[in-house]
Every structure is written in C-alpha cells, then in structure tokens.
Amino acid sequence: MTLRTRLTAWYAGVFLIAGIALVGLNYWLLADWMPLEGRAVARALPPDSQFYPGVASVEAGVLPADTLVVSGADFAADTMRTVLWQSIVALLFAAVLAVWLGWVVAGRVLAPLHSITSTAHRLEAERLDQRIELDGPPDELKELADTFDGMLDRLASSFDSQKRFVANASHELRTPLAVQRTLIEVALAAPDANDDMRRLGAHLLDTNERSEKLIDGLLLLARSDRGLATRELVWLDEVIDDEIESCAALASEKKVTFAVRTRRYLVDGDPVLLAQLVGNLLRNAVLYNKPGGSVSVELDRELVVTNTGPTVPAQAVPGLFEPFRRLRDRTGTAGSGLGLSIVQSVARAHQGAAKARPNGGGGLVVQVNLPETGVRQPS
C-alpha cells in the first residue's frame, strides 16, 4: 500500500470510529427519552387497515375511526429501529464521502513529497542544478525540502571540487611521465649507448608505459563513476568492430582468434566510455587466454564476451570487478587490474550492469547489459 492509501485508510477509519460513537450516543439518548410502558400513543392507520375500527379512547381523549392505539413500548421499539437503520445508512454514505475526501486531502498533503521525489529522479552527477524551492508555511515538509536543497548544494560543491581534482591530477601525473619517457628515448638514441643501457632503457620504457596505462585507467574509472557528461546515439555493433580491429595485433601475437556475431544495437551514451568498455573486455579476453584459444563476442539482448583461458574459480569471480584484484595466475600479464572495474563502472553510468561467471571449459563469460534505445536504422 502506498502512503497515500494508508493515510486515506487512517482518515476513513477515524471517521468511522467517531461516526459509530456518535450514532451510539444518539441511540442511547433517544432510548432514554422515548415513552415507557403504561402510556398509550395514537398512530394514524392507512385507509384500508382493519385494526380497531370505530372510535377508541386514549387517556380520556376521543380519536377518529382511522386511528390505531399502541403501547408506549411498541412505539419506542419501532421508532428506535427506524432511527438505527437510518443512522447506519447515513453513516455508510458519509463513510464513502470520507474516503474520497481523505484521498484528496492525502494527495494535497503528500504533494511536496512527490516534488522531492521527482527532483531526485532528475538529478545526475553532472546536473545538480535542480532544486525543490518549496513554498508554504514553515512546517515539517518545508523543513524537509529546505534540508534536501541544502544537501544538493553541498553535493554540487563536492562534485565541482572532484572535477577540478581529476583535471589537475590528469595534468600533474601525465606531465612527469611524458618527460621521463622523452628522456629515456633520448638516452637510448645516443650513439654511445651500450647494450646494458639499451636493456635498462627498454625496461624503463615498459615500466613508464604501465604507469601511464594505470593512471589512464584510474582517471577513466573516476570519470565514469561521476556519470555521463554528454550523451549521443552510438551504434554498439560498430564500436565492437572497431575495437576488434584495434585488438587484432595483440590477438595475432597471442595466437587467439575471434568469433563475432552481432546485430544492429543502438545505445544512448558516451562513445569514448563505451569504446573503453568494449576494448577492456576484448583485451582482457585476449590477455587472459591460452595460446591457440578463442574469444567469442555476441551482441543480441546483451553483450557477451567469452574466452577460453585458464579455469576461474566461481568464488573468485566477484572480486575480479574490484580495482587491482586479479587471480594469482594472472599477475604476470600486462594488465593493471582495472579492466573489469572500468567495465562495471561504465555500464552503471549507462544505467546498465555487468556480471561474470566461469566458462565451463575454462576462461570467463562476461555479460554486459546496456539499455537499447527504440531507434532503428532504416533497412
């Protein structure tokens, strides 16, 4: 039951209790007032009645022939029954009216709560400019709305600070790594560089590249966690084709083949984040595979990527979506441990979800559900 229905039930219940008490009080007062036994009451008879024809006397009075003389007790009982049934019928009609009025009043009382709820639904991480600004007397609902608006002001300030931090961190972390890479490349290009220096330089370049990828992954994870700054229509099947082409060299090096089966699939979202989601899935599927293995990519109701890598324990699967969590036999790969974390974060930013399960013959099956728009490309 909704809150409005419960309030209506409470209103109607309280009215019925008060109405029953009022009817009972009236009944008791009327019963105390009605004539007692021993007194006579004259009642008019219908023209065709056969009771007491002629003239009868009541307490030394004379009545016409169409009058019935009854005792005070009979008259009181008959009157009480009539009053009781009429009161019950009136109470039922009033109860129906009370339910309707209770429904209307409950709707008026809860209108500010509906305003708060609709405002909360319209909010996004990148759009915190919505406010309730409830008008009215300074009551509890006004206080609640003002508290909610104050919370939104603090959240907006916090998100602005986070955006500035991410932008500054991106610049401050990328710049020294770029300088280090340039210095190493210059040193390796020197004519007097010996073999030991070149091996050391190659190792430093590899470490520098891994650090850059780690920073890029962290910044991308922070960006997707903040929500979508822009949205546009993106054909997910075309993104898959582009990312498979980008992974072709890595797949050839690992001797991994792709099996692709997709259909036209339109998503409303961020094309950069969607490309990163698909790219991470495909690179993970290739990196954590066995030589001569395969990667299956299916896109129908959802995106499903399956590889033929080593066996993955079922209890270890949930931890793969946490940052820097990898299986023990995967630590020797070039991954940073952020791939599936980014996949899950990007899926959530698009109102979707990501989950995984072990593949029966070894490897992992990752399923990503992204809301599809109702737009279709004309055939």
Side-chain angles (χ1 to χ4, degrees), residues 92 105 242 280 301:
L92 292 178
V105 171
D242 294 339
N280 280 9
R301 296 180 180 273

Side-chain angles (χ1 to χ4, degrees), residues 183-239:
L183 292 176
I184 295 171
E185 291 173 348
V186 170
L188 290 178
D192 56 344
N194 54 35
D195 294 339
D196 292 337
M197 184 179 293
R198 294 183 186 278
R199 284 194 297 269
L200 177 60
H203 178 70
L204 292 176
L205 282 177
D206 182 65
T207 303
N208 187 274
E209 182 180 1
R210 291 169 65 91
S211 299
E212 289 179 342
K213 290 182 178 180
L214 177 61
I215 292 173
D216 290 340
L218 288 173
L219 294 175
L220 182 64
L221 186 60
R223 174 187 170 187
S224 58
D225 283 341
R226 294 197 316 272
L228 302 182
T230 58
R231 286 180 177 270
E232 60 182 85
L233 295 178
V234 180
W235 289 105
L236 190 60
D237 54 299
E238 296 180 357
V239 174

